[in-house]
Amino acid sequence: MSRALRILVAAVVVLGGAISLSAAENASYTRGTAITDPDLLRKLDQGDTLTISRLLWPERNANSPLTTDLLFASLPQLKDIPPAIDAEFERYITRQTAAYPTETIGVGEGFDLQLFDRANLKSANTRFVLAGIVNRMDRAYVSEESCGETRLIYRLTRFDAGSDGTRTATRLPMTFNLVLKARDPRQVASNGKPVSCAEVARRWLDNNGDWQGLIGSSFHPSDAMLDRIETNIQISIAPKSALHDFRSDYLLKVFKYNAATKTFEESTLENQIDRDRILVDNDLRLDFRDWLFAPDHLRAFDRGTLLIPEKFLARAVVVPTPAGLDASALQPEFGMMQGEGKGEPVFTDSDVVSALKQAAARGDMQNIRSVAGFQRRLNDVTCAGCHQTRGIGGFHFPGVDWLADKPSNSAIVPASPHFVGDQLRRRDILIAFAAGKRPDFSRGFASRPQTRGSRELAGTEYQDGWGAHCSLPDAGSESGDRSFTSWSCAKGLACQAAAASSRIGMCFIKTR
């Protein structure tokens, strides 16, 4: 394992910080799976150890991070990112102008649709600040050779000088994720053999706590470790008007690293189904249906480990929030299921029922047991659908605002309920790796964690406490939809409808 990765591993156990409002209560959830301690993140960022410029430009002779005006201009690896984002903005503006021709659109509060100010990406007063480090060995099913991923998450921040000479830091609604492979395939252990996934997991879980002694100045990932960059930008805010409710839209983009050209190139988003393109292409629609219903693919779809071929995927997605629980065009799969929207659906109810019946006979189904379950998985398997599920305004990991002198409650919560509830599954996978066992990579629906963490999560907002998602009984029946019947509420709480037609409600205090 590289010295760089040992730095990350060593920090996790010692200084793995709070995820929800109670630091002491939730610190154990992220042991070995995430670094959220604000003091450690400050040291790694301000010491220029884990800044983007330091990682991608190790020869640079400086001890401070680059501001955004210099970052994209100085690092040739990033040259394709700004024009790709600009192109998405122009397409977005064109679509919004056509949809709402009477509404104004621009940067600032004077507009009906208020755009993210792209000047922040070319400013001497902004830079990307390290907001968290996340272990994603639970994604090793994508590439066993890499043992999963390590994600360095940065938040765009503006620094303003005050009249008294002080500087204030304001976090802006954009994250920049540098995704590394969990291990460098060229690294060898002390026995001369390649470092195993088991060793990577053990170092995340069982380091000796001497993180200061492990941090060095030569942290630089090799080309073999670089995988991609993910960007998430709140592209606009639209206050409530006569034409629509309040909405904020988030633009998601992915840039894969090309070792030959040494640049991050625009790519498709993993499992982001290109709904609009599939719905208008009859051959593509039938191809996607048949591909997904193939036994191996349907089983992986149920487990949450499906990898959809690129020909069905989009290169960008705008995620509207809040989307709600009712089926609507705000959700990524809308129109693909029978009874939604106009035109020919990709999946009819009878096709889904038949496919699920055959899969159940094979013993393949763990999560999806109904048409509604199939529809929900079709949403949450996508980037957009996952981001719409129990997120914090379009983000699942905005990170700790360690720059703020007096952070608000929202700023000190680094992650969403979805993120926190998934940590026990991720840790379970680490423990299996460390023991040399084959991990269970499956996951439940994004709305609710798997029962493998039920003991620790019982009674919390993540599992069955106040605000947790729960199963509503069908009209005229005592039982709910078979895909969600295990989603119960803790004692003293009742599942109440949160949408008109959804099978899913929320746990609230019982009312008479």
Side-chain angles (χ1 to χ4, degrees):
M1 175 186 287
S2 67
R3 189 180 186 188
L5 192 53
R6 288 201 298 273
I7 296 172
L8 305 183
V9 171
V12 176
V13 177
V14 183
L15 294 173
I19 290 292
S20 79
L21 295 179
S22 171
E25 177 185 10
N26 293 304
S28 62
Y29 292 168
T30 57
R31 184 179 67 82
T33 59
I35 299 174
T36 61
D37 180 81
D39 291 332
L40 177 57
L41 294 172
R42 179 186 295 108
K43 291 173 182 176
L44 295 175
D45 181 90
Q46 294 186 338
D48 202 31
T49 303
L50 293 183
T51 62
I52 299 170
S53 54
R54 178 67 185 79
L55 297 177
L56 299 182
W57 190 6
E59 300 85 4
R60 176 171 168 261
N61 184 20
N63 58 4
S64 60
L66 291 177
T67 52
T68 55
D69 60 327
L70 300 175
L71 183 73
F72 293 108
S74 302
L75 298 181
Q77 301 99 315
L78 307 181
K79 67 180 180 63
D80 292 341
I81 295 179
I85 290 175
D86 283 340
E88 295 298 342
F89 266 75
E90 296 309 315
R91 282 189 282 268
Y92 177 78
I93 292 170
T94 299
R95 290 195 302 268
Q96 292 301 312
T97 301
Y100 303 104
T102 62
E103 292 199 340
T104 59
I105 181 169
V107 176
E109 295 183 358
F111 294 91
D112 297 318
L113 187 69
Q114 300 162 19
L115 292 173
F116 174 85
D117 189 355
R118 281 175 282 171
N120 288 312
L121 296 178
K122 303 174 183 178
S123 172
N125 296 321
T126 61
R127 72 174 181 89
F128 289 100
V129 173
L130 184 66
I133 303 168
V134 179
N135 179 335
R136 293 305 307 269
M137 289 189 72
D138 64 293
R139 284 180 47 77
Y141 66 87
V142 176
S143 172
E144 294 188 12
E145 174 69 17
S146 66
C147 302
E149 302 165 355
T150 301
R151 300 186 181 186
L152 306 178
I153 303 176
Y154 301 86
R155 182 75 176 221
L156 185 62
T157 303
R158 185 179 67 240
F159 296 86
D160 298 309
S163 57
D164 58 355
T166 61
R167 300 190 77 194
T168 59
T170 303
R171 299 211 307 175
L172 302 175
M174 177 179 180
T175 57
F176 186 104
N177 304 342
L178 179 61
V179 183
L180 309 177
K181 295 173 184 176
R183 69 171 177 180
D184 187 335
R186 301 179 305 178
Q187 293 294 319
V188 296
S190 56
N191 60 6
K193 296 181 179 180
V195 172
S196 66
C197 295
E199 177 63 17
V200 175
R202 283 194 292 267
R203 290 179 179 178
W204 276 97
L205 291 167
D206 300 320
N207 74 87
N208 63 10
D210 184 22
W211 62 269
Q212 288 179 319
L214 292 173
I215 291 178
S217 59
S218 59
F219 183 4
H220 173 55
S222 66
D223 279 358
M225 289 187 71
L226 293 174
D227 187 80
R228 66 188 183 278
I229 285 171
E230 302 171 339
T231 61
N232 183 0
I233 304 173
Q234 185 187 57
I235 193 170
S236 73
I237 296 176
K240 184 174 182 178
S241 72
L243 298 176
H244 52 71
D245 289 331
F246 168 84
R247 192 180 76 244
S248 57
D249 288 346
Y250 293 81
L251 170 66
L252 308 184
K253 292 284 291 180
V254 169
F255 302 86
K256 291 282 292 183
Y257 186 68
N258 184 329
T261 63
K262 295 188 180 299
T263 57
F264 289 92
E265 300 175 349
E266 189 176 10
S267 179
T268 55
L269 283 74
E270 182 178 293
N271 287 356
Q272 182 57 49
I273 303 165
D274 194 337
R275 175 189 68 185
D276 296 338
R277 187 164 54 88
I278 291 174
L279 288 177
V280 299
D281 187 326
N282 187 58
D283 290 340
L284 196 63
R285 182 174 72 248
L286 295 176
D287 194 11
F288 181 55
R289 183 200 63 186
D290 294 343
W291 181 88
L292 186 55
F293 281 158
D296 289 347
H297 301 156
L298 190 58
R299 184 181 186 277
F301 183 62
D302 173 79
R303 301 296 196 274
T305 58
L306 186 72
L307 296 174
I308 300 174
E310 286 196 4
K311 68 177 181 178
F312 301 120
L313 303 180
R315 296 173 72 87
V317 63
V318 173
V319 187
T321 59
L325 295 177
D326 276 335
S328 75
L330 299 178
Q331 296 172 336
E333 65 76 31
F334 187 78
M336 303 188 80
M337 298 293 296
Q338 180 179 330
E340 298 176 342
K342 301 177 181 179
E344 191 75 17
V346 180
F347 306 102
T348 65
D349 288 357
S350 60
D351 285 343
V352 173
V353 170
S354 176
L356 293 183
K357 184 177 180 179
Q358 295 175 48
R362 295 190 298 267
D364 284 347
M365 295 290 101
Q366 289 183 350
N367 301 291
I368 304 171
R369 296 183 173 90
S370 64
V371 174
F374 183 90
Q375 177 188 22
R376 181 162 290 263
R377 179 62 98 196
L378 200 60
N379 266 320
D380 75 25
V381 76
T382 67
C383 298
C386 182
H387 275 253
Q388 289 174 332
T389 303
R390 307 204 77 194
I392 302 175
F395 299 95
H396 278 303
F397 193 90
V400 178
D401 187 4
W402 52 260
L403 283 160
D405 293 330
K406 297 179 180 180
S408 66
N409 285 340
S410 61
I412 64 172
V413 180
S416 73
H418 166 72
F419 177 92
V420 178
D422 197 42
Q423 296 310 301
L424 299 181
R425 181 189 69 90
R426 299 182 190 182
R427 191 201 306 163
D428 184 59
I429 290 171
L430 285 182
I431 292 171
F433 264 129
K437 299 178 181 179
R438 174 72 180 179
D440 175 8
F441 293 111
S442 67
R443 63 178 178 87
F445 294 101
S447 302
R448 184 154 175 138
Q450 282 183 315
T451 55
R452 68 172 80 180
S454 58
R455 286 189 178 183
E456 290 179 76
L457 297 176
T460 69
E461 61 178 307
Y462 316 118
Q463 185 72 34
D464 55 6
W466 191 93
H469 285 199
C470 53
S471 175
L472 289 168
D474 290 332
S477 171
E478 293 298 322
S479 62
D481 189 286
R482 292 186 62 214
S483 293
F484 318 113
T485 48
S486 64
W487 298 15
S488 59
C489 294
K491 186 178 180 180
L493 301 177
C495 191
Q496 301 179 32
S501 60
S502 176
R503 308 294 179 92
I504 304 302
M506 302 188 80
C507 296
F508 293 113
I509 297 174
K510 291 182 179 179
T511 56
R512 295 185 180 181

